[in-house]
Structures are given as structure tokens and as C-alpha cells.
Amino acid sequence: DDEEDEWGLPPREETVGEDGVTRVVEWSVNEANYAVKTTKLMKVERKSRVVSTGVAERLKWAKFGECAGKPPGPEKGTTMASVEEILVEWIPQKDDDAEEEKEEDEAKKELDIRKMLAADRLRRRMEERKAGVSNWAQLMAINAGADKEDVAGSADASASGAPPPGKYVPPSLRNRDLNAPPGESSDRPQRDDSSTVRVSNVPPRTTEADLQELFRPFGRIQRIFLSRDRVTGESKGFAYVAFDLISDAQKAIDRLDGYGYDHLILRVEWADASRNK
């Protein structure tokens, strides 16, 4: 002020126009001792915005340090407002809750499936023990009409001369006594694939041993082929069972075609499609 009086500068002028623009005129002296006129045009616009409760509470906090005792709002020379645009991606809480609820439902379903399978295995063991058999396939064979003595005695007959289930036997060695010396053939007549049946709708967890137990009460079995998935090792749903006698194969078709095995209905027919017409 003293400097302005010494140089005789006009006082500060501030006028507000009809459009709301404030015009401020100020005079000062620069380093070269020249009078400088500065004109500022300002327009103040007040906008209200909705903020969270936490932000509203922070606006009421008392200032500290160099701004202690100052009124609310930014302080010129101390507080600088950022001009950068900051994008914040808000994730609604309901999406998190829905995802967590979905995971809980999936875990519950998996637990229910495990409990169901455990109960099913327990039920099978109880039925096997009650029927006096060693596995589920033997129980299925008895339910299909086979005698319990035939089912129990077929294991000994298979061990004496039948080839292991699922193992390929060349035609020249089929129907041959496995205990006979090399070069000595059996007295039984040779059989071809006309006594082979095709089994469809086989459950995935079925094994060759299961099919052996299911079919051998109807006659002597030459071999069993069960198609399996190379990755999972589970059954692809079909198998071939070759009997020694055509009559035995016919008995198996008559008794097991349409029979409920595990949770599926078996389809047993001749491997030669022309014979099924």
C-alpha cells in the first residue's frame, strides 16, 4: 500500500457484470519500475454434489499445521487441487455376494454327490453281504436268474482253464486247455465268433471282472473285450463277450437283454448284426 501511494497507482477495482462475471483491475510496479495493470475476469459457479457420509465428516475436521484455525475449504498457496482425471472402478458388493454364494452352492452340490456315492457303495456292500456274494457283478448275475452255486463255482472253473478276461487269444489257441503241454490240443471242438454277443449301455465304472461275473453263469466264456476311454479309463458303453457255445450265448441274450445293471438298462444282442434281424 505504501508503495502504491508513493507511485500514485490507482486503487484495486472489482466490478460484477450482469452475466455474473467479476472484473478485477489491479496496478503494480515491476522490477523495471514500470506500472503494470492486471485485469482478471472471474466467474463463480456453485455446484452441489452428493458425497458419502465419510467424505462429509472429513470436511468438518479441524485444520492443523500452517492452516490451523482457517475456515473450511482449500487454502491458497497451501492446497493444490489435482487436474488429473482419476477413474475408479467400483465393484458392486452384490456381485461379490453372488459369486461367493455360487461357489458355496457348487461346493454343497459336490459334497452331496460324494455323500450319495458313499451311501450307494454302502448299500451295495450290504446287499452283497446279505446275498453271500463277493462283488456287485455276482449279485447282478443272481438277480438275473443265475443260481448262487453256479455263480460261486464259476470262479473255480474259470481259474482252471479260461483265459484272463480282456486278453486276446489267437484263433489257433482258442478253446484250448491252458494247462495242456505245447502242441497238444484240447478234445473240445473249435468255435468261431458266431457265439459272440455285443453288450451295449454298459455303465462307465464297469470292469472286465464285472462282466465276467455277470455272464459266466450262462456258460464258459472264451474272452471279453471292454472298450475303454484312453484318457479316463472308463467304459465307452459297449463290450463283446465270446462264449464257447452258441446256446450259452443265446441264454445270456434271453436273460440279460433289457436287464437293469447298475443305473442303466443293458442291451445284449448278437455281435453279428445280420443275426439280430
Side-chain angles (χ1 to χ4, degrees), residues 197-202 211 224-227 235 237-241:
V197 298
R198 186 180 193 274
V199 188
S200 305
N201 228 18
V202 178
L211 295 176
I224 295 177
F225 170 76
L226 176 62
S227 180
S235 167
F238 68 93
Y240 291 92
V241 180

Side-chain angles (χ1 to χ4, degrees), residues 143-194:
N143 293 338
D147 293 335
K148 182 177 179 181
E149 297 179 357
D150 295 339
V151 172
S154 58
D156 298 334
S158 176
S160 63
K167 182 177 180 181
Y168 175 75
V169 179
S172 59
L173 298 179
R174 293 176 186 173
N175 302 321
R176 175 184 173 182
D177 188 358
L178 298 182
N179 297 323
E184 182 179 342
S185 60
S186 174
D187 294 333
R188 295 181 343 192
Q190 298 291 328
R191 301 294 178 181
D192 55 18
D193 289 339
S194 60

